Amino acid sequence: MESGDKVLFSYAGTELKGTYITERNKKAVIKLENGYNIGVDISAVKKTESPKAKRAVPKKIEQDKNLPALSIISTGGTIASKIDYRTGAVTSQFEAEDILRAIPGLKDIACFSAHVPATILSENMTPEIWKTLARTIYDEIKNNTNGIIVTHGTDTLAYSAAAISFMVKTPVPIIFVGSQRSADRPSSDNVMNGMCSAKAALSDLGEVAVVMHGSTNDDFCAIHRGTRVRKMHTSRRDAFKSLNIKPLGRVDYPSLDVSLEEHAIRRNQNKSELFDKLEENVGLLYFYPGMKPDIIDAFSGYKGLVIAGTGLGHTSSLCIDSIKALSETGTNVVMTSQCLNGRVCDRVYDTGRDLLTSGIIEGEDILPEVAFVKLMWVLGQENNPSTVKELMRTNLRGETERCLHNEL
Amino acid sequence: MESGDKVLFSYAGTELKGTYITERNKKAVIKLENGYNIGVDISAVKKTESPKAKRAVPKKIEQDKNLPALSIISTGGTIASKIDYRTGAVTSQFEAEDILRAIPGLKDIACFSAHVPATILSENMTPEIWKTLARTIYDEIKNNTNGIIVTHGTDTLAYSAAAISFMVKTPVPIIFVGSQRSADRPSSDNVMNGMCSAKAALSDLGEVAVVMHGSTNDDFCAIHRGTRVRKMHTSRRDAFKSLNIKPLGRVDYPSLDVSLEEHAIRRNQNKSELFDKLEENVGLLYFYPGMKPDIIDAFSGYKGLVIAGTGLGHTSSLCIDSIKALSETGTNVVMTSQCLNGRVCDRVYDTGRDLLTSGIIEGEDILPEVAFVKLMWVLGQENNPSTVKELMRTNLRGETERCLHNEL
């Protein structure tokens, strides 16, 4: 069989049609008619048709240099994926003009310059790539761009938005955008998300944000603060949600009107600044009942560990000695809550007070994943434990609101 | 100072009043007027008043034996806490009549028998206590109770409800209930949650459920399936949410009318059965970008590991060799998603297909915490890897709905 062959096969007792893409690990990778890829035994696949290849030479896209300048920075992922329409395979190759070809409406909004610091599936994102990304973004700000769009796979998009929030202080919008469904699927969200992100990047916003579908209707994109957002669904287009604060605003569709809430930081409110150091030796651990202390011991030698405890920020009493040992040997341990919403407070119950005595830093109302990224960043700037503690509990990029504990 | 003394102290620049409870780790534990406890330096605390002790001898509570029989099983936690009204200290001591004393309305609903298999802060819950709890519940079903209320600390309440869902097949309602705020706080939810749980325990329901505030108004409690619920807020009274399915029903308040949805399992639909074996050597790990494989290696020797991957169920490519090694040395590895909502599907992207080849079991739409408990239970019943895989992907207690992957 060759890439692009139409095939018929049986899966879970059902006859299915698709397009053969490639062989991988002795399975045939087949693109189903609904756009998803599936791996099935090669022996179960029958070829039904070999369409002639029709490969158009892509036309050069003309941009209007009188429009405001925007930067588009790609790291890979579904929204940046180039579809080979013959085979249906989704790859993450990206050239300057690919996104304009995929979303033609963009060239009526702005004049884009494109940069590709990485081409990865976002589950392979690393702190090292965050550093490259931060520097690329900072250079574009220095080049007087009006705003930046970062296209990113949705798996770790929220982690990266948080990382860049800490690493780049910005006077212009830095908009992370992705797509939950690839461009060749009828339900793809790439055009609407792309158009809305461009408008957000030209708006009066002055911070790092995520722009994605706000509902499952194609009626608006929500603008989420980069340090307050989490992917909360595996496949829905409105998977991204603001937690613990309201979204910063919205971009209506198809009108593309942008509205910003009062708490959104405005354009030029901050000056540009780059902090591109990260301590990579940091971990994140969700506590579970019956956890054996050896799992906490496994983080021995780490510079930092964020625990997502239960409730107000607890682990079992059994784990506290190991946490204390970590803390005493130089690991900065931050407590957050696996509830995701709400604030930790370890002054209420006995276990919490024991944890405080063992040296943990309370992570306030910071999301576990954001605390993890923030701790990498703080330890990249500071070594002194009391400064680290103070910075972790201070609102640096809108990631937390401090409150007096008696106001709980 | 003595327990019960009224005190004045300074905290975070504010003068605060409270009641001295005890000394712990060189800190004075003080109950604030809002009901929360706080630890402060003893030197900062000034006594203002020593009220005379007034300790009433509790009256014996008469129960109406003509009312239907319900069982109340306490494991500790805020709802079962007995308040020492002189000191304000919250302890988890529990006697048969304490809950009826705290919630007097209960004795007009049913005639209660009480059992106390454990008295713990729920972050200290263990698989061993789940076994004791399961046996206590099963004995009560055998004793022809009409329904069971399990009072439980909210930190790990959802984990325990899932564990009991797998361990006890039940013809009668098994209702887990807790309280987010202790009985001495004006905003306590213990009375409403307790009353609603009793009505749910007498209802037509025939499965394990969690009954807690459905909103921040005191207007109804939601009834959540034990295998589909998660604590989603550190302190709100409506912290518990059904994920991936609708709640099973509701108990309106103060009318106490119970309504059940169509998908709720009905009373006597199942026969009672006890499965009290659990494999305790099981872990849960949330993946994060930049994770070093040594953390996965730390689960070497475990019988099971649930990973909460990103998106549709991914880790970085860097981690796949360690996952494969675990799998090849006898650890059953189940993939779920840290998105919490939605379904994993590792047939779409390259990383997912590599994970499948490395031996992971797809956790369908099971919550990570529920998959963790289910894996303990499945491995308690079965050793054969292919049976384990089949059971993990089969709907046993309403924890998953299987779907054909081409319907995604």
Side-chain angles (χ1 to χ4, degrees):
Chain A
M1 263 171 307
E2 278 181 38
S3 288
D5 286 352
K6 298 291 170 197
V7 295
L8 197 67
F9 65 101
S10 175
Y11 182 74
T14 317
E15 285 267 289
L16 291 171
K17 285 180 193 173
T19 306
Y20 177 79
I21 298 176
T22 187
E23 187 188 322
R24 204 183 156 85
N25 298 321
K26 293 181 186 159
K27 298 269 186 182
V29 179
I30 292 175
K31 175 159 289 280
L32 298 173
E33 290 180 322
N34 63 12
Y36 265 102
N37 293 347
I38 191 170
V40 292
D41 283 337
I42 289 176
S43 60
V45 178
K46 261 192 307 205
K47 180 167 80 173
T48 58
E49 200 188 324
S50 285
K52 292 267 188 292
K54 279 187 231 167
R55 220 177 245 274
V57 177
K59 270 189 216 157
K60 172 100 184 131
I61 290 183
E62 296 293 335
Q63 290 206 64
D64 182 349
K65 296 211 166 110
N66 295 318
L67 290 173
L70 282 184
S71 308
I72 191 156
I73 297 175
S74 175
T75 63
T78 301
I79 198 175
S81 55
K82 192 163 78 168
I83 314 300
D84 181 334
Y85 284 100
R86 199 178 74 88
T87 67
V90 181
T91 63
S92 280
Q93 291 156 20
F94 183 79
E95 289 155 27
E97 294 186 324
D98 286 339
I99 195 110
L100 299 177
R101 199 164 281 125
I103 312 174
L106 284 177
K107 65 180 190 300
D108 302 325
I109 297 179
C111 182
F112 291 89
S113 65
H115 304 266
V116 189
T119 305
I120 55 162
L121 289 166
S122 82
E123 56 269 32
N124 288 324
M125 182 52 72
T126 63
E128 208 48 53
I129 303 178
W130 285 335
K131 292 179 195 172
T132 309
L133 179 59
R135 290 176 203 129
T136 309
I137 289 171
Y138 183 72
D139 287 346
E140 287 302 287
I141 298 173
K142 285 287 151 198
N143 286 337
N144 293 315
T145 186
N146 291 293
I148 291 162
I149 301 171
V150 181
T151 67
H152 198 292
T154 57
D155 267 43
T156 61
L157 188 151
Y159 290 89
S160 294
I164 297 302
S165 298
F166 292 105
M167 297 172 84
V168 184
K169 267 202 155 178
T170 180
V172 302
I174 301 176
I175 307 297
F176 279 76
V177 64
S179 165
Q180 286 276 83
R181 299 179 188 180
S182 60
D184 58 331
R185 299 184 65 193
S187 63
S188 178
D189 47 350
N190 71 327
V191 170
M192 179 175 142
N193 290 352
M195 294 292 283
C196 290
S197 71
K199 281 300 214 176
L202 286 173
S203 77
D204 197 35
L205 193 71
E207 59 179 308
V208 178
V210 171
V211 170
M212 293 284 289
H213 266 60
S215 75
T216 51
N217 306 322
D218 292 335
D219 52 354
F220 77 100
C221 277
I223 306 174
H224 305 282
R225 174 165 287 161
T227 54
R228 294 285 204 169
V229 62
R230 199 172 184 281
K231 184 174 179 179
M232 293 300 291
H233 200 282
T234 60
S235 60
R236 275 170 68 141
R237 287 172 298 164
D238 62 338
F240 285 80
K241 300 289 179 201
S242 285
L243 274 77
N244 280 326
I245 62 162
K246 285 187 188 154
L248 300 177
R250 55 190 278 158
V251 186
D252 286 310
Y253 193 82
S255 75
L256 298 178
D257 290 336
V258 180
S259 46
L260 297 178
E261 299 288 331
E262 210 175 317
H263 62 290
I265 294 173
R266 295 310 205 265
R267 185 181 282 272
N268 293 323
Q269 203 170 315
N270 287 316
K271 294 224 162 94
S272 64
E273 216 169 334
L274 175 68
F275 306 87
D276 60 354
K277 286 191 193 127
L278 292 174
E279 169 55 61
E280 301 189 12
N281 216 2
V282 171
L284 169 62
L285 183 65
Y286 275 61
F287 170 76
Y288 51 85
M291 176 178 270
K292 294 185 195 70
D294 60 349
I295 296 305
I296 293 168
D297 300 341
F299 291 93
S300 170
Y302 275 59
K303 292 284 179 207
L305 173 64
V306 173
I307 299 178
T310 57
L312 292 166
H314 300 135
T315 67
S316 64
S317 303
L318 190 66
C319 289
I320 293 181
D321 279 347
S322 286
I323 292 171
K324 197 171 176 203
L326 275 189
S327 183
E328 284 172 356
T329 52
T331 307
N332 297 274
V333 184
V334 176
M335 182 60 72
T336 60
S337 175
Q338 60 190 251
C339 297
L340 306 179
N341 298 285
R343 180 180 292 278
V344 300
C345 179
D346 281 302
R347 286 170 171 79
V348 182
Y349 295 100
D350 283 356
T351 330
R353 288 193 293 274
D354 289 345
L355 281 162
L356 283 175
T357 309
S358 79
I360 62 144
I361 303 166
E362 286 179 297
E364 305 292 336
D365 58 343
I366 312 181
L367 283 168
E369 292 79 11
V370 174
F372 159 71
V373 168
K374 181 177 179 179
L375 188 55
M376 279 189 169
W377 183 85
V378 166
L379 291 170
Q381 327 300 314
E382 269 296 338
N383 276 317
N384 183 292
S386 65
T387 316
V388 169
K389 180 175 181 169
E390 188 52 35
L391 284 173
M392 283 307 296
R393 299 189 64 198
T394 302
N395 178 18
L396 301 177
R397 300 289 190 270
E399 75 280 11
T400 179
E401 274 175 72
R402 190 112 178 221
C403 87
L404 273 178
H405 282 285
N406 56 325
E407 285 166 0
L408 257 172
Chain B
M1 266 172 302
E2 278 181 38
S3 289
D5 286 352
K6 299 290 172 198
V7 294
L8 198 68
F9 65 102
S10 176
Y11 182 74
T14 319
E15 284 268 287
L16 292 171
K17 286 181 191 173
T19 307
Y20 177 80
I21 297 175
T22 187
E23 186 188 323
R24 202 182 157 85
N25 299 321
K26 296 184 184 156
K27 297 269 187 182
V29 180
I30 293 178
K31 175 159 288 280
L32 298 173
E33 292 180 321
N34 63 13
Y36 266 100
N37 293 346
I38 192 170
V40 291
D41 282 338
I42 289 176
S43 60
V45 178
K46 263 192 305 205
K47 181 168 79 173
T48 57
E49 200 187 326
S50 285
K52 291 269 188 292
K54 280 188 230 165
R55 221 178 245 276
V57 178
K59 271 189 215 158
K60 171 99 184 130
I61 290 183
E62 296 294 335
Q63 290 206 66
D64 182 350
K65 297 213 166 106
N66 295 318
L67 289 173
L70 282 184
S71 307
I72 190 157
I73 298 176
S74 173
T75 63
T78 301
I79 197 174
S81 56
K82 193 163 80 170
I83 315 301
D84 182 332
Y85 285 100
R86 197 179 74 88
T87 66
V90 181
T91 64
S92 280
Q93 291 157 20
F94 183 79
E95 289 154 28
E97 295 185 324
D98 285 337
I99 195 110
L100 298 176
R101 198 164 283 124
I103 312 174
L106 284 176
K107 64 180 193 298
D108 302 324
I109 296 178
C111 182
F112 291 89
S113 66
H115 303 267
V116 189
T119 305
I120 56 161
L121 289 166
S122 83
E123 55 269 33
N124 288 323
M125 182 54 72
T126 62
E128 208 48 53
I129 302 177
W130 283 336
K131 293 178 193 171
T132 309
L133 179 58
R135 290 178 203 125
T136 309
I137 289 170
Y138 183 72
D139 286 348
E140 286 301 287
I141 298 173
K142 286 287 152 198
N143 286 338
N144 292 316
T145 187
N146 291 293
I148 291 163
I149 299 171
V150 181
T151 67
H152 198 292
T154 56
D155 267 42
T156 61
L157 189 151
Y159 291 89
S160 295
I164 298 302
S165 298
F166 292 105
M167 297 171 84
V168 184
K169 267 202 153 178
T170 180
V172 302
I174 300 175
I175 307 297
F176 280 75
V177 66
S179 166
Q180 286 276 83
R181 299 180 187 180
S182 61
D184 58 332
R185 297 185 66 193
S187 63
S188 179
D189 47 349
N190 72 328
V191 170
M192 178 175 143
N193 290 352
M195 294 293 282
C196 291
S197 71
K199 282 299 213 176
L202 286 173
S203 77
D204 198 34
L205 192 72
E207 58 179 307
V208 178
V210 171
V211 170
M212 294 285 288
H213 266 60
S215 76
T216 50
N217 306 322
D218 292 336
D219 52 354
F220 76 100
C221 277
I223 307 174
H224 305 282
R225 174 164 288 161
T227 54
R228 293 284 203 170
V229 63
R230 198 172 184 282
K231 184 174 180 179
M232 293 301 291
H233 199 282
T234 60
S235 61
R236 274 169 68 139
R237 289 171 297 165
D238 61 338
F240 285 81
K241 300 290 179 201
S242 286
L243 275 78
N244 280 327
I245 63 163
K246 285 187 187 155
L248 301 175
R250 55 191 278 157
V251 186
D252 286 309
Y253 192 82
S255 74
L256 297 178
D257 292 335
V258 180
S259 47
L260 296 178
E261 298 289 332
E262 212 176 316
H263 63 290
I265 294 173
R266 295 311 205 265
R267 187 179 281 273
N268 294 323
Q269 204 170 315
N270 287 314
K271 295 222 163 96
S272 65
E273 216 169 335
L274 175 69
F275 306 86
D276 60 355
K277 285 191 194 126
L278 291 175
E279 169 57 58
E280 300 187 13
N281 217 1
V282 172
L284 169 62
L285 183 65
Y286 275 60
F287 170 75
Y288 51 85
M291 175 178 270
K292 294 186 195 68
D294 60 348
I295 297 305
I296 292 167
D297 299 341
F299 291 93
S300 170
Y302 276 58
K303 292 285 179 205
L305 173 64
V306 173
I307 298 177
T310 55
L312 292 165
H314 302 135
T315 67
S316 64
S317 302
L318 190 67
C319 288
I320 294 181
D321 279 348
S322 286
I323 292 172
K324 197 171 176 205
L326 275 188
S327 183
E328 284 172 356
T329 52
T331 307
N332 297 273
V333 183
V334 176
M335 182 60 72
T336 60
S337 175
Q338 59 190 252
C339 298
L340 306 178
N341 298 285
R343 178 180 294 278
V344 300
C345 178
D346 280 302
R347 286 171 172 77
V348 182
Y349 294 101
D350 282 358
T351 330
R353 288 193 293 274
D354 289 344
L355 281 161
L356 283 174
T357 310
S358 79
I360 62 144
I361 304 166
E362 285 179 297
E364 304 292 338
D365 59 343
I366 313 181
L367 283 168
E369 292 79 11
V370 174
F372 160 71
V373 168
K374 182 177 179 179
L375 187 55
M376 280 189 167
W377 183 86
V378 165
L379 291 170
Q381 329 298 313
E382 269 295 338
N383 276 318
N384 183 291
S386 65
T387 316
V388 168
K389 180 174 182 170
E390 188 52 35
L391 283 173
M392 283 308 295
R393 300 190 62 197
T394 303
N395 178 18
L396 301 175
R397 301 288 191 269
E399 75 280 10
T400 178
E401 274 175 71
R402 190 110 177 222
C403 88
L404 273 177
H405 281 285
N406 56 325
E407 286 167 358
L408 256 175

